[in-house]
Amino acid sequence: QVQLVESGGGLVQTGDSLTLSCTASGGSLSTLNVGWFRRAAPEKGREFLAAISVNPSMKYYADSIKGRFTISRDNAENTVYLQMNSLKPEDTAVYYCARRIWGRGNNDTPAGYGFWGQGTQVTVSS
């Protein structure tokens, strides 16, 4: 059973960049489609950010972060990355990665994913 673990979060200032990592344990990430989501507050739902297919050239982005965030994968490192540039205070959230579960939900909804990591906190100060 492949488990995902996020890392790379932290406290940054407005305009800074940060790269999050989603690493797989217990198996290979190379055969999985992976998505990144975030939750700004416990009472809010998870917001889709980006997804990457097994074919690394196939990427999908939410309009809200398009142009600032970049998803990529390194199968040799068994890791999917989320490069975040020009960070804003409204990007403050817990960031999660998850595996795409075919036959469930859509590519840009939490229902389409499973095996969520524990999340990593990103805080952007103004």
Side-chain angles (χ1 to χ4, degrees):
Q1 190 84 310
V2 177
Q3 297 295 322
L4 303 181
V5 179
E6 305 92 341
S7 62
L11 173 63
V12 297
Q13 296 184 333
T14 297
D16 284 352
S17 297
L18 202 60
T19 299
L20 305 182
S21 299
C22 174
T23 303
S25 63
S28 174
L29 201 58
S30 63
T31 59
L32 302 176
N33 291 17
V34 175
W36 279 99
F37 291 75
R38 67 185 177 189
R39 189 198 300 265
E43 66 274 15
K44 294 189 176 181
R46 286 173 175 160
E47 175 192 6
F48 170 76
L49 299 174
I52 188 166
S53 173
V54 171
N55 180 344
S57 66
M58 296 179 66
K59 305 175 183 180
Y60 311 90
Y61 294 98
D63 289 341
S64 61
I65 55 87
K66 196 174 294 183
R68 292 195 300 126
F69 291 9
T70 302
I71 191 170
S72 63
R73 67 190 306 154
D74 184 336
N75 289 337
E77 294 294 326
N78 218 22
T79 301
V80 171
Y81 301 99
L82 186 68
Q83 169 72 38
M84 307 185 294
N85 298 326
S86 303
L87 284 164
K88 309 172 184 178
E90 50 265 44
D91 293 318
T92 294
V94 179
Y95 285 69
Y96 301 88
C97 64
R99 297 167 48 182
R100 180 77 169 96
I101 307 297
W102 295 111
R104 280 174 41 180
N106 296 322
N107 198 44
D108 59 354
T109 62
Y113 293 80
F115 302 95
W116 297 85
Q118 83 290 345
T120 185
Q121 175 72 46
V122 173
T123 303
V124 184
S125 64
S126 56

